[in-house]
Amino acid sequence: MGRPYLGEFEELVLLTVAVLEGSAYGVTIAAELKKRTDRVISLSGVHVALYRLEEKGFVQSELGGATNERGGRRKRYFSITGLGKRTLDEMRDMRNELWSAIPKLSFN
């Protein structure tokens, strides 16, 4: 059986969780993705991707402390797992191999 499938948006969310290293929660992930991709990012789309990634074992989450500015609600922080990191490494390697396989074309 091959590696679990990751769609483009899931891959971007997983990469962003790794980039944010410890401060990744829905809002910070959406903001970082918007800044880096210049795309419109749906917070609900980020949450769906995060829960999917957690089901696949690529991220894990834990609840932070309750804060007054959030009305006593707690943030759910996400971090990348070893499996998530290995999967990103494999995807990068596969893409690099494909890029390297493109024949050199000359344009006149």
Side-chain angles (χ1 to χ4, degrees):
M1 186 166 138
R3 71 169 172 79
Y5 175 77
L6 276 183
E8 180 206 14
F9 191 68
E10 286 179 322
E11 183 180 357
L12 289 173
V13 170
L14 184 57
L15 283 164
T16 305
V17 169
V19 166
L20 292 173
E21 192 180 6
S23 62
Y25 64 97
V27 172
T28 60
I29 294 166
E32 187 73 15
L33 279 170
K34 183 175 181 354
K35 178 178 90 176
R36 291 183 180 264
T37 65
D38 199 28
R39 292 163 96 174
V40 175
I41 302 297
S42 156
L43 184 57
S44 61
V46 169
H47 282 119
V48 167
L50 285 167
Y51 293 127
R52 217 179 288 140
L53 290 167
E54 192 165 30
E55 285 176 4
K56 293 177 181 180
F58 296 142
V59 299
Q60 58 191 15
S61 67
E62 62 183 49
L63 287 173
T67 60
N68 287 335
E69 67 262 10
R70 291 180 44 85
R73 294 188 335 247
R74 299 163 66 181
K75 293 177 186 173
R76 179 168 296 278
Y77 288 95
F78 292 84
S79 58
I80 192 166
T81 62
L83 176 61
K85 174 70 169 85
R86 282 190 304 280
T87 299
L88 286 177
D89 289 342
E90 289 170 10
M91 292 179 79
R92 181 191 58 225
D93 292 345
M94 177 196 57
R95 283 202 171 86
N96 287 342
E97 284 179 30
L98 285 168
W99 277 104
S100 297
I102 296 174
K104 302 258 187 264
L105 300 175
S106 63
F107 296 97
N108 296 331

